Amino acid sequence: MQNCRIDFPLLQRTYKNTPLAFFDGPGGTQTPRQVITAISDYYKQSNANTHGHFITSKETDKVIARARDRMAIFLNASSPDCISFGANMTTLNYFLSKALVRIFKAGDEVVITELDHEANRAPWLAMQNNGIVIREVKLKRDGALDYEDFKSKITVKTKLVAMGMASNALGTVNDFRAVRKWTNEIGAYLLLDAVHYAPHFTIDVQDIDVDFLLCSAYKFYGPHVGILYSKYGLLDKLPTDCLRTQDQNAPYKIETGTLNHAALAGVTAAIDYIASVSSGADLRSQLVESMKLISDHEHQLADKLYSGLQDIKRIKIFGLPLIKDEHTPTIAFLMEGIKAADVCKYLAEQAICTWDGHYYAIRAIEVLRLSELGGLTRVGMSLYNTEDEVNRLLSALKDLSSSL
Ligand SMILES: Cc1ncc(COP(=O)(O)O)c(C=O)c1O
């Protein structure tokens, strides 16, 4: 994995003569030059709007089609028609909720969780204005969802369960397969927020049998593009907001206006970049193998960090034990006697980039009663992180703790 560092121009950047260490992957990963080149090449060679009869416009159509193809392979969707693009996950989720509220009736129920990012809560909570009942699954203090509570909240009136695959705040991987079984029993839709899961694990939408799944390319080495997967044929049935001049079919009918064509060229390049980490008979098997290698590397570093943190006085780690498949390589902690923001400011001066606060998973931070303390410090591993960087981080935290 070390060889890949050369591909990321920003990893060369220094602060106060020290190389910057980026542990802010859960907020957004760095971008390899292959992605940057694809984006700039689009502007240099093919910049145009779609569906024209001239060469650059035809090339633009191909850029979009290729990005849909690649995303379909990345998620193992049955067709590129299952893949819609948008500005970001939040916007696509709002668009989807606006369409779904038109087919739900007053008294219908939607289940969300206390652990989710606000982007997968607010669009559904807004449905209350239309008489939809929102039920919230409880978050336990250990960082896991309360599955007894979950099961009890799914009733014959449930039309949709909207949940995260993994928490961007605590790294918890949720049991979305159990929830799929429960939702299938009553014929409710399952929507998964895969934004924090997609950079760390392989996704197979057909195997999960999910109805809707959303992710964001900027979390997996790509540009700022949101992606919505809808099960084949499902989006066609939904009354989305859509101009009469727009294609009224999936996957286009939720894509309002002109897409970011250059960024879509970057999405293709990001997926090809992930695939290039390994080799395989075809792109899908290559991606599966690459994700396994990336995941192994990230978890090795996360394990090192986790055990190092346990040896530092005043540090309290939040969330479940760091078991692969049950936890992303994202660790959140509190240092007793100092606010998370001050920990991050101290680390920033050592050229170490980490996040503090609630990271928009604000409900989880409230439930854990961490708001007054300024939330948690969050450290996330990405494919380009190294053992040296983890050592630097641990040593900086040790110094900070001893200085208090
Ligand atoms: C778990 C999770 N869901 C949703 C989002 C929102 O994604 P976007 O920025 O693409 O709207 C984020 C962003 O950090 C996230 O981490």
Side-chain angles (χ1 to χ4, degrees):
M1 218 50 70
Q2 287 309 293
N3 306 340
C4 77
R5 286 183 64 84
I6 193 82
D7 295 327
F8 292 81
L10 236 162
L11 299 185
Q12 308 303 317
R13 192 156 174 204
T14 57
Y15 176 70
K16 296 188 172 170
N17 290 326
T18 309
L20 279 163
F22 292 100
F23 290 112
D24 60 333
T29 48
Q30 294 307 327
T31 314
R33 84 188 130 68
Q34 290 86 338
V35 171
I36 300 167
T37 303
I39 293 170
S40 72
D41 279 355
Y42 172 78
Y43 282 120
K44 286 185 207 155
Q45 288 166 26
S46 309
N47 189 22
N49 216 323
T50 54
H51 304 324
H53 298 288
F54 46 98
I55 180 75
T56 50
S57 181
K58 286 182 181 172
E59 283 171 6
T60 295
D61 290 342
K62 282 192 190 147
V63 162
I64 300 172
R66 209 174 295 132
R68 258 188 245 286
D69 252 22
R70 287 293 197 289
M71 269 317 298
I73 296 170
F74 186 65
L75 299 175
N76 204 30
S78 62
S79 155
D81 289 349
C82 300
I83 306 293
S84 307
F85 293 114
N88 47 55
M89 177 277 184
T90 308
T91 306
L92 282 167
N93 217 21
Y94 262 117
F95 286 175
L96 189 60
S97 72
K98 277 182 78 184
L100 284 168
V101 81
R102 292 179 182 133
I103 61 167
F104 293 171
K105 297 184 302 296
D108 283 348
E109 296 179 1
V110 169
V111 178
I112 61 173
T113 88
E114 288 182 340
L115 182 56
D116 270 73
H117 189 286
E118 212 46 28
N120 201 27
R121 291 171 42 83
W124 312 115
L125 285 165
M127 285 185 161
Q128 290 175 120
N129 299 330
N130 297 71
I132 310 298
V133 177
I134 306 298
R135 299 203 174 276
E136 284 189 57
V137 175
K138 288 197 186 104
L139 168 65
K140 295 194 298 178
R141 284 207 66 79
D142 66 0
L145 289 170
D146 181 337
Y147 287 97
E148 257 178 54
D149 184 52
F150 212 141
K151 192 149 195 238
S152 75
K153 292 221 159 107
I154 299 176
T155 72
V156 286
K157 290 187 182 167
T158 307
K159 293 290 170 233
L160 167 79
V161 173
M163 69 184 289
M165 290 179 89
S167 157
N168 67 311
L170 302 176
T172 317
V173 172
N174 296 322
D175 193 354
F176 46 85
R177 289 180 193 278
V179 178
R180 174 71 285 185
K181 266 195 218 140
W182 299 335
T183 48
N184 271 342
E185 280 162 19
I186 42 115
Y189 291 134
L190 174 66
L191 176 145
L192 294 176
D193 171 358
V195 173
H196 184 60
Y197 188 91
H200 306 296
F201 300 103
T202 304
I203 295 178
D204 185 334
V205 286
Q206 294 185 80
D207 183 52
I208 303 168
D209 187 31
V210 62
D211 298 301
F212 303 102
L213 179 142
L214 297 110
C215 56
S216 270
Y218 74 96
K219 308 281 187 180
F220 52 85
Y221 316 105
H224 293 90
V225 172
I227 298 121
L228 166 68
Y229 160 84
S230 333
K231 197 185 265 185
Y232 193 81
L234 210 46
L235 189 60
D236 278 322
K237 293 190 211 148
L238 296 187
T240 54
D241 278 334
C242 152
L243 306 180
R244 83 184 159 106
T245 44
Q246 199 178 328
D247 192 322
Q248 307 290 308
N249 303 305
Y252 315 102
K253 66 183 294 190
I254 199 161
E255 295 176 341
T256 48
T258 308
L259 293 172
N260 187 337
H261 307 150
L264 292 180
V267 169
T268 299
I271 292 171
D272 287 348
Y273 183 77
I274 293 172
S276 76
V277 167
S278 77
S279 50
D282 54 39
L283 186 60
R284 175 67 191 171
S285 46
Q286 216 174 322
L287 282 166
V288 170
E289 184 55 25
S290 294
M291 288 309 297
K292 192 179 161 309
L293 293 177
I294 292 169
S295 196
D296 286 349
H297 169 76
E298 292 171 340
H299 271 85
Q300 216 175 322
L301 295 180
D303 280 343
K304 185 177 173 61
L305 176 67
Y306 194 86
S307 57
L309 287 175
Q310 284 173 320
D311 292 339
I312 300 178
K313 277 195 306 228
R314 298 169 181 275
I315 284 193
K316 179 172 189 276
I317 304 174
F318 279 74
L320 294 174
L322 197 66
I323 297 168
K324 200 172 162 205
D325 297 337
E326 293 176 21
H327 207 298
T328 64
T330 298
I331 298 173
F333 63 88
L334 196 68
M335 192 181 275
E336 202 189 300
I338 177 167
K339 292 223 166 181
D342 293 324
V343 172
C344 290
K345 281 181 202 164
Y346 174 84
L347 293 173
E349 286 309 300
Q350 323 280 319
I352 298 172
C353 309
T354 56
W355 275 111
D356 66 279
H358 53 65
Y359 344 102
Y360 289 27
I362 191 166
R363 188 70 196 124
I365 295 297
E366 285 165 355
V367 167
L368 295 173
R369 296 199 191 88
L370 292 165
S371 306
E372 285 83 65
L373 297 171
L376 297 170
T377 299
R378 180 184 69 184
V379 179
M381 300 299 161
S382 301
L383 76 86
Y384 43 70
N385 288 120
T386 67
E387 221 176 301
D388 272 358
E389 289 177 330
V390 173
N391 287 335
R392 260 178 67 198
L393 171 62
L394 284 170
S395 135
L397 288 169
K398 224 173 264 173
D399 290 349
L400 177 61
S401 169
S402 338
S403 74
L404 295 175

